[in-house]
Amino acid sequence: QVQLVESGGGLVQPGGSLRLSCAASGFTLNNYGIGWFRQAPGKEREGVSCSSLLVGSTYYADSVKGRFTVSRDNAKNTVSLEMNSLKPEDTGVYYCAAGYIGYGSCGLTTSAYGTWGQGTQVTVSS
């Protein structure tokens, strides 16, 4: 069964940090693009970052550039999103997603991804 499971969300004060993990089962992430998306209440789902794992490149949305970092653990078939200097506007449900791209480029459109995790809540508030 192809599945993605996120973990690591929670409540954090502005300026704080959280680390989200996305564990894949039923397939190997190596040939895939991995996207991180978030959705705030009443807003559309927006792309935060995408990684082309075979190429080894990652793209970040301007709103998180310099604060968020994607990393990968091949042994655990897991991708993580390290979030620093968090702001209230970073609040939302965060999803990881996978789409087969091989050596291609990843993107931040939801239609590029066929497998989604269940989401994890991130709340940034004092």
Side-chain angles (χ1 to χ4, degrees), residues 38-45 89 91-93:
R38 65 187 181 189
Q39 188 164 19
K43 294 188 177 181
E44 291 186 356
R45 193 168 296 187
E89 52 263 43
T91 295
V93 178

Side-chain angles (χ1 to χ4, degrees), residues 4-9 18-24 34 36 71 73 76-83 94-96 117-120:
L4 294 173
V5 177
E6 298 106 337
S7 60
L18 279 176
R19 183 181 180 90
L20 307 183
S21 292
C22 175
I34 299 298
W36 284 96
S71 62
D73 186 329
K76 296 181 178 179
N77 207 29
T78 298
V79 174
S80 296
L81 180 68
E82 182 77 27
M83 305 185 295
Y94 281 68
Y95 301 88
C96 64
Q118 83 286 0
T120 184

Side-chain angles (χ1 to χ4, degrees), residues 42-55:
K43 294 188 177 181
E44 291 186 356
R45 193 168 296 187
E46 65 169 345
V48 172
S49 72
C50 76
S51 300
S52 299
L53 297 187
L54 208 53
V55 174

Side-chain angles (χ1 to χ4, degrees), residues 15-115:
S17 299
L18 279 176
R19 183 181 180 90
L20 307 183
S21 292
C22 175
S25 60
F27 70 106
T28 302
L29 289 172
N30 199 45
N31 290 320
Y32 286 75
I34 299 298
W36 284 96
F37 294 79
R38 65 187 181 189
Q39 188 164 19
K43 294 188 177 181
E44 291 186 356
R45 193 168 296 187
E46 65 169 345
V48 172
S49 72
C50 76
S51 300
S52 299
L53 297 187
L54 208 53
V55 174
S57 62
T58 298
Y59 171 82
Y60 298 94
D62 288 343
S63 58
V64 305
K65 199 173 294 182
R67 300 188 297 121
F68 290 13
T69 304
V70 172
S71 62
R72 175 186 178 190
D73 186 329
N74 290 336
K76 296 181 178 179
N77 207 29
T78 298
V79 174
S80 296
L81 180 68
E82 182 77 27
M83 305 185 295
N84 298 314
S85 302
L86 282 163
K87 306 174 181 179
E89 52 263 43
D90 293 318
T91 295
V93 178
Y94 281 68
Y95 301 88
C96 64
Y100 184 86
I101 60 171
Y103 284 98
S105 300
C106 64
L108 291 181
T109 56
T110 56
S111 60
Y113 300 88
T115 301

